[in-house]
Structure formats: C-alpha cells, structure tokens
Amino acid sequence: MANYVFGVDIGGTTVKLGLFDIGGNVLDKWEIPTRTENGGANILPDIAASVRAKMSDKSIDKEDVAGVGVGAPGPVDGEGIIHKAVNLGWGEMNLKKELTTLLDGMRVEGGNDANVAALGEMWKGGGQGHKNLVAVTLGTGVGGGIIINGKIMTGATGSGGEIGHIHVEDHETEACGCGNYGCLEEYASATGITRLANRQLQASDKPSALRQGEVSAKTVFDAVKAGDELAIEVAKQFGDYLGKGLAVIAGVVNPEIFVIGGGVSKAGEVLFEYIRPAFDKTVFHGCRDTQFALATLGNDAGIYGAAKMVLD
Amino acid sequence: MANYVFGVDIGGTTVKLGLFDIGGNVLDKWEIPTRTENGGANILPDIAASVRAKMSDKSIDKEDVAGVGVGAPGPVDGEGIIHKAVNLGWGEMNLKKELTTLLDGMRVEGGNDANVAALGEMWKGGGQGHKNLVAVTLGTGVGGGIIINGKIMTGATGSGGEIGHIHVEDHETEACGCGNYGCLEEYASATGITRLANRQLQASDKPSALRQGEVSAKTVFDAVKAGDELAIEVAKQFGDYLGKGLAVIAGVVNPEIFVIGGGVSKAGEVLFEYIRPAFDKTVFHGCRDTQFALATLGNDAGIYGAAKMVLD
C-alpha cells in the first residue's frame, strides 16, 4: 500500500506540483516554469524530472507512490487523451501514456484543469461531503467542472462542464472569445462584470463610486457592499445571468451543490444574494434545494484534485 | 450464467412488461393494468405476480433470470429509491428493495422512466454505438434522460435530465405545469407547439392550412412539409427554443448524440432542419459535432432500458 501521491497542475506560465499523503494532507508544494517552446515538448519531461527529484530528496521509493495526477488546460477525455492545449503548444496527445513512460510505468491520471479543480474542491474544499457537484470558476473567463458520483464528467470529447459558453443572451452584439455571442462568460466573468459596469456607467446618469478610478469586478463588489446604487444594478445583471444559467445546469445534472471559485468569488457570500433570486425563480422544483458554497482551496484546487484522481 | 431478463415500464394506466434474452432480443411483451387505488399498493405485487406467472408459463427457473429492471414515473436516485410518483399514488419508496422482497431476493434495478428509456435507446435504439447520449422525449411534455459512460445520470435527488423545465424564455406570461414561466416544455412539447401555432394564427393574417380543422403538433408539421408559411414560422420558433436549449445541454454534458423521441418526433428528420440552425449558432465549438438521431423504439424504449439496467 502506497503512502504518497503527486498532484500536478499545468498552467500557461508555471506548473504547480504537490506531494500529498493518501489522506490528502499536503506535505510539500512547489512550482516549475512551463516551457511552452517547441510545441511544449519539454513540459512533461520537466514534470517527470521534478517528481523524481522530489522522491530522491525525500527518499521516497517508487513503490510507495500511488501515482501522479495531472490537470492540463484543454479538453481531456476519459482515456487521458488531451485534444489540444493552445496555451501549452500541444496538439492531441496521450497525456497519461506519455507521462507514465517518462516515469517508468508509474500510474498517471490526466484531466482537464477545471474538472480537476472541481474534484479538488469536492475532496478537500468547499464541496466536502458531496459526491455530485458543479464547480464554477469566475475568473478572467468562466470555467466549470462537473462531478457525478465522485467522478469527473469529461463528456464525449472532453468538453463536459464548459459552462462559460452556454448561451444566455440573444441580443448581444459583442463576440465572446469563443466566437459566439451571448455566452455566460460575457456577463459572469471578471471581464464580463467590468463590461457590464462600463455599459451601465454609460447608460445611466447616476452618481457612483465607480465613476472614479478603476472599474473591475473587485471595485464593483466593493461598491455594492458600500450601498452604491449603480454597482448594485450591475450586480443584479450579473446575478440574473448567472442565476438563470446555474438553474439550467441544475435542471440538467441535478447537483447537490454549486461551489463558486475564481477571482470574482473573493467578493464572498454577497454573490449569492444576487445569484439566488434568478436561480430560485427559474430552477426546476426538484432542484430547488441545491446548495451554494464558496471554493476554499484557491489556486491549490488543481493539485488537490489531480492527486485525488489517482486515489479513485 | 442467466439467460433471461425482465424489463418493466410502469405507466399511469398500464404496466408494460418484456421478457428478453441477455443479448437484448425481446421474447415476449405484454401489459397489465396499473392499479393506482390505495396509494398504488397493488402495483408492485401485481408486477411480481405477472413476472412469476410468465416464468412458470415458460418454465424458466429463478436461477436463469438475471433480474428485473423497472422504470417508474418519478425521480429515482442512485439507490433505487423513488421520491414521489404522483401518477401512481406513491410517496417515497425503495422500489428496488420492495420488489426484490416480493420476488424472493431476485435482483431488481429501478430508475426514472425517462432515464430508463434513454438507456433503452442507447442499447437497441437510435443511440446504438454510443455511450454518452441525451435522449429527448417530445410528448405531451418534454422529458429527458442522460447517459454518461453507458450509465444513467440520476443526479443528487433523481432530477437529472429534467430538461423539460430548463428556463428558455424570460417573457412568458402563461405558467408551465411545474409552476415556473418560460420552461422549454412550453414551446417544444406537442402541447407547446399547439400553443405556439394558436398564438401565431392570432398574431398573423397569413392564410394557412391550420386555419381549418385541428391544430396540433402533427398538423403543424404536416403543413410545414406542404410549404405552409405560417406553419414554417411556428416550426422556426419551436426549433429556435429547442435548438438553443439543446446547445446549452451539450455545453454542460458534451454528449456524442441527441436521440429525439416522443409523439412529436413522428414528424421525422424535418425536425432537425429547424433545431440545427439555433443549435449550431449558439453551441460551444467543442460540441459542434454532436449528432442528432430519431428514437426508434417508440413505447418499447422503457422495457428495453429497464432490462439493460440489470445487465450492467
């Protein structure tokens, strides 16, 4: 019986690594740069070398490691094949097989970074005690990860849980980064909230703290907490889009809980005051008891979830 | 190794039963009345008696039966507990345990009827060859069943796949049967199409075949096939709501295929001409290759799927 497991979260600029005991206690955390040159050919060898170095450092035998879990920014299917990772320079690759070869047959599991983070939040974060959850990451974009019966739902081509790009507005005139118009991400991400705020500042004559200084998701929710009327209008628009979007997701997958993370979630529980009204109004009655919680692992969700993949 | 399996589909007026070999060939099909009086207390005993009688008839030993799968009209969770079946008079009940007791310990599996029908279409119907599919039933209402990696996705409380009640219209003034406003079912069911048609007949002065005789989903699509302009407007509205709704579902669960069944699907492939434009326009690019097919098992999907539950 192995005592250790590694969790790896590959980002566009750094790779985060964690060494855990099999109870999920983090024993060590570190980072290495992500070398994206040459089609990202060095990334997996760098990870393998870093894992080996740590094992040697800590005098951990191969037999004492349950395996290495890896989250990567791209669609990863149930076989551990990543279909494209633009930020890493990767095309289609068998992540699981390549890394296991580099690690002399050590067990490797691979998943999409947002899905893996969702698993992390289930294991040790805001979703503890639940087996069916949807993690929603409100960052520069909107990401998502869906966990069904304790397992990542990858979908047919690794696009399961891509909830940032569900269509929520028919009348949008600006394109989303994905090329479509009216995606959830255009209203519920940090960028989206900023855009909603700038539109509202133009459309309204109301005085607002947002008329001075920077307009961002943070300044909007700071102003909401200070009772700023215009900021509250923006928060209502945000909450209306997100609440309705999450209600649809609830009707489809019927999770026990939504776990909300990402930079926007730093605003805290106040988010739920704006999300719940539209959610409660439009959700199927069988899903009305769905809970909402904040994510708690921050940027470490990925390494936790990656480690957990190996332990299942 | 058992050679036989029973599939049972409990409806509000009749219970359909099927005897299958384990390859999925139906050997016999029959029906018994659903006795809903006394809180539906007779339903499971009637089913058990009917199964026993068939075994005796065909001289099939208990050891030669893999088990009995049952689909029922209500939310059924992963443990086989049905949380309420209004049409049967049932409150919360352990379907699986109760029936297995009535059958002297024979293996029983239970599921929601729409989910079970989805499994049937995957096994022997329009979704053959796929392991990730969403079945959409366009009948009096809109039902759905989601299959992930070959298994029913029940959700936390058995409401997984309740896609008829996802919110698709903010400006609806008539309530859905569920109490909400603007559910997909209000536009994409047989009843919904009739309603859209009656609205359009009132709102427009255009001549139309629909101005004579009955207005129904069938007459609307018959008129569409005959080139009736007003009927085509109705079909476009229907397709716009359903196409956008399915695009959202695709973004969430990323199925390989949608299998469309129910009475409305008798209109045939013409449905896809109206569903695909809105689907293609709004779906996440990673899900653009999602296929569409018609269901092929009709009212037998339930008994097939029920049998399949036991064989997994």
Side-chain angles (χ1 to χ4, degrees):
Chain A
M1 180 75 185
N3 286 306
Y4 301 99
V5 56
F6 287 90
V8 180
D9 183 17
I10 311 178
T13 51
T14 58
V15 179
K16 293 190 178 64
L17 299 99
L19 171 65
F20 297 81
D21 65 28
I22 58 166
N25 300 299
V26 63
L27 306 174
D28 200 357
K29 283 199 300 189
W30 67 103
E31 296 186 359
I32 59 173
T34 309
R35 293 199 287 155
T36 54
E37 63 270 23
N38 300 323
N42 297 309
I43 298 173
L44 292 183
D46 285 355
I47 290 170
S50 188
V51 165
R52 283 176 195 275
K54 188 61 62 174
M55 286 167 65
S56 160
D57 248 28
K58 305 258 181 186
S59 307
I60 296 172
D61 289 340
K62 194 179 149 191
E63 290 66 37
D64 214 18
V65 178
V68 180
V70 183
V76 180
D77 66 23
E79 312 297 314
I81 296 169
I82 186 160
H83 288 274
K84 200 171 197 180
V86 187
N87 296 339
L88 307 182
W90 290 355
E92 184 165 307
M93 184 185 35
N94 193 323
L95 187 59
K96 186 171 162 165
K97 198 172 143 196
E98 297 277 335
L99 188 56
T100 207
T101 303
L102 290 166
L103 286 167
D104 299 329
M106 207 181 274
R107 181 171 170 205
V108 172
E109 297 294 334
N112 165 268
D113 54 359
N115 290 341
V116 168
L119 193 64
E121 287 291 340
M122 179 196 84
W123 192 32
K124 294 291 171 184
Q128 277 182 74
H130 299 281
K131 291 282 173 202
N132 293 284
L133 71 82
V134 176
V136 180
T137 307
L138 308 175
T140 312
V142 171
I146 299 177
I147 309 293
I148 304 290
N149 290 330
K151 306 275 182 198
I152 290 171
M153 191 191 71
T154 59
T157 58
S159 292
E162 277 287 0
I163 64 172
H165 301 285
I166 63 175
H167 180 77
V168 296
E169 174 57 79
D170 284 343
H171 306 290
E172 181 57 53
T173 54
E174 282 182 57
C176 178
C178 77
N180 286 353
Y181 291 80
C183 294
L184 180 59
E185 180 164 303
E186 293 189 78
Y187 314 99
S189 64
T191 330
I193 294 167
T194 306
R195 218 166 49 97
L196 286 176
N198 283 323
R199 283 187 180 176
Q200 196 66 10
L201 285 165
Q202 285 215 312
S204 161
D205 286 335
K206 278 197 183 145
S208 168
L210 298 172
R211 295 196 188 276
Q212 287 88 45
E214 189 200 7
V215 176
S216 70
K218 183 180 184 320
T219 59
V220 167
F221 277 99
D222 285 347
V224 166
K225 289 172 192 168
D228 187 290
E229 277 186 38
L230 189 136
I232 288 171
E233 289 167 8
V234 173
K236 282 184 177 164
Q237 291 172 18
F238 153 86
D240 195 56
Y241 284 116
L242 185 54
K244 283 191 284 190
L246 297 184
V248 170
I249 294 166
V252 177
V253 302
N254 183 207
E256 296 158 57
I257 190 167
F258 286 104
V259 180
I260 314 286
V264 174
S265 74
K266 289 181 186 155
E269 304 266 343
V270 67
L271 292 177
F272 304 145
E273 292 172 33
Y274 292 92
I275 298 170
R276 288 276 344 190
F279 180 86
D280 291 341
K281 190 178 165 191
T282 60
V283 76
F284 177 59
H285 57 77
C287 305
R288 223 159 253 166
D289 294 335
T290 314
Q291 297 172 53
F292 283 77
L294 294 169
T296 61
L297 299 177
N299 291 331
D300 289 344
I303 56 171
Y304 276 92
K308 177 64 173 159
M309 269 196 295
V310 175
L311 299 176
D312 280 334
Chain B
M1 180 72 186
N3 287 306
Y4 302 100
V5 55
F6 286 91
V8 181
D9 184 16
I10 311 179
T13 50
T14 58
V15 180
K16 293 189 179 64
L17 298 100
L19 172 65
F20 297 83
D21 66 28
I22 57 167
N25 300 299
V26 63
L27 306 174
D28 200 358
K29 283 200 299 189
W30 68 103
E31 297 186 0
I32 58 174
T34 309
R35 293 198 287 155
T36 54
E37 63 270 22
N38 299 325
N42 297 309
I43 298 173
L44 292 184
D46 286 353
I47 291 169
S50 187
V51 165
R52 282 176 196 275
K54 187 61 63 176
M55 287 167 65
S56 161
D57 249 27
K58 306 256 180 189
S59 306
I60 297 172
D61 288 340
K62 195 179 146 190
E63 291 66 37
D64 213 17
V65 178
V68 180
V70 183
V76 181
D77 67 22
E79 311 299 313
I81 296 169
I82 187 159
H83 288 276
K84 200 172 196 178
V86 187
N87 296 340
L88 307 182
W90 290 355
E92 184 166 307
M93 185 186 33
N94 194 324
L95 186 59
K96 186 171 161 165
K97 200 173 142 196
E98 298 277 335
L99 188 57
T100 208
T101 304
L102 290 166
L103 286 167
D104 298 330
M106 210 182 271
R107 181 171 170 204
V108 171
E109 297 295 334
N112 165 268
D113 54 359
N115 291 341
V116 168
L119 193 63
E121 288 291 341
M122 179 195 84
W123 193 31
K124 294 290 171 185
Q128 277 182 74
H130 298 282
K131 290 283 172 202
N132 292 283
L133 70 82
V134 176
V136 181
T137 307
L138 308 175
T140 312
V142 171
I146 299 177
I147 308 293
I148 304 289
N149 290 330
K151 306 275 182 199
I152 290 170
M153 190 191 70
T154 59
T157 57
S159 293
E162 277 287 359
I163 63 172
H165 301 285
I166 63 174
H167 181 77
V168 296
E169 174 58 77
D170 284 344
H171 305 292
E172 182 57 54
T173 54
E174 284 181 58
C176 178
C178 78
N180 286 352
Y181 291 79
C183 294
L184 180 59
E185 181 163 302
E186 293 189 79
Y187 314 100
S189 63
T191 330
I193 293 166
T194 306
R195 219 166 47 97
L196 287 175
N198 284 323
R199 283 187 180 176
Q200 195 67 8
L201 285 165
Q202 286 215 311
S204 160
D205 286 334
K206 278 198 182 143
S208 168
L210 299 172
R211 296 199 186 274
Q212 287 89 43
E214 188 200 7
V215 176
S216 70
K218 183 180 183 320
T219 59
V220 167
F221 277 100
D222 285 348
V224 166
K225 289 172 192 168
D228 188 289
E229 276 186 39
L230 189 136
I232 288 170
E233 288 167 8
V234 174
K236 280 184 179 166
Q237 291 171 18
F238 153 86
D240 194 55
Y241 283 116
L242 185 54
K244 283 191 284 190
L246 297 184
V248 170
I249 294 165
V252 177
V253 302
N254 182 206
E256 296 157 58
I257 190 166
F258 285 104
V259 179
I260 314 286
V264 174
S265 74
K266 290 181 186 155
E269 303 264 344
V270 66
L271 292 176
F272 304 146
E273 291 172 33
Y274 292 92
I275 298 170
R276 290 272 349 187
F279 181 86
D280 291 341
K281 190 177 166 193
T282 60
V283 76
F284 177 60
H285 58 76
C287 304
R288 224 159 252 166
D289 294 334
T290 315
Q291 298 172 51
F292 283 76
L294 294 169
T296 61
L297 299 177
N299 291 331
D300 288 345
I303 56 172
Y304 276 92
K308 176 63 172 159
M309 268 196 296
V310 175
L311 299 176
D312 279 334

